[in-house]
Amino acid sequence: MEEMTREVTAVGNNEREQMLEQIRNFKLPRYDEIPNVGLYLEQTSKYISEYLAALGDFPLTSSMISNYVKKGLIANPVKKQYGRDHIAYLFFIAMAKSVLSLDALTGFIKLQQQTYTLPKAYDYFAEQFEGLLRFTFELDDTLEIVGEDNTDEKRLLYTCIVAAVQKVYLEKCLEAIANEE
């Protein structure tokens, strides 16, 4: 970790401050904050992509969403509209697809459906993701433990989130270094 810290310190102050400000301000909507009015495919893609833009390369195109429906990762839209449940799953998929295969994602979602309600699982994911992001970028000195139970399912999700956050960290630092040159 010491070597990684030195590497990040090598990033120019201006680029580093901009990067840290984006991470500091990053917040995923909680389950109850996600619109439940029904968004059309393009609106859904835009809504999620705008939230994730600060993190870098987490594209979620309309064709990707359609593919996730075809593969059974998320349910079919209702009257061509995506509701709160669809969007919550798509936030998770957008993050996790960078570190897991589609088959692993399918298994992960099935596991979640067997163990936790979507609102509980999604809010845990969002809170843990934000906490790990701030901790990894050294904006927080400690990492808060999220939730009360300690299950295998939560450890698997935690590991997935760690992998996604480490990818964000690496890409953001390398991008900042390249922009300073």
Side-chain angles (χ1 to χ4, degrees), residues 38-166:
L39 300 177
Y40 289 103
L41 182 59
E42 198 61 42
Q43 293 171 317
T44 301
S45 173
K46 185 177 179 184
Y47 175 77
I48 294 168
S49 295
E50 284 176 0
Y51 262 98
L52 302 180
L55 300 181
D57 192 27
F58 284 103
L60 190 68
T61 64
S62 297
S63 60
M64 292 168 95
I65 294 171
S66 295
N67 191 36
Y68 298 145
V69 171
K70 287 178 192 170
K71 297 224 180 247
L73 263 76
I74 61 172
N76 286 320
V78 178
K79 297 180 183 176
K80 298 186 179 184
Q81 294 181 333
Y82 295 83
R84 184 176 286 150
D85 286 0
H86 294 104
I87 295 170
Y89 278 122
L90 287 168
F91 268 115
F92 171 72
I93 291 168
M95 296 293 191
K97 71 180 173 61
S98 67
V99 295
L100 295 174
S101 68
L102 285 181
D103 288 341
L105 274 169
T106 301
F108 226 127
I109 290 170
K110 285 179 183 174
L111 183 62
Q112 172 270 309
Q113 292 168 341
Q114 295 167 358
T115 54
Y116 294 101
T117 65
L118 181 56
K120 183 174 183 173
Y122 174 79
D123 284 347
Y124 171 82
F125 157 72
E127 191 173 339
Q128 192 69 73
F129 187 88
E130 292 165 5
L132 275 163
L133 199 60
R134 288 188 306 272
F135 182 75
T136 302
F137 279 85
E138 299 178 351
L139 296 169
D140 288 346
D141 293 333
T142 58
L143 181 61
E144 297 292 323
I145 296 173
V146 177
E148 298 168 12
D149 54 348
N150 190 18
T151 63
D152 290 339
E153 293 83 6
K154 278 181 66 176
R155 281 190 291 282
L156 287 171
L157 180 57
Y158 177 84
T159 303
C160 177
I161 295 169
V162 167
V165 166
Q166 290 295 324

Side-chain angles (χ1 to χ4, degrees), residues 8-25 137-139 172-173 176-177 180:
V8 173
T9 307
V11 175
N13 284 339
N14 189 34
E15 284 294 320
R16 178 173 166 76
E17 284 307 313
Q18 288 177 359
M19 174 182 66
L20 293 176
E21 192 61 28
Q22 286 180 329
I23 299 303
R24 188 178 290 112
N25 294 329
F137 279 85
E138 299 178 351
L139 296 169
K172 294 294 275 182
C173 289
I177 290 169
E180 282 294 320

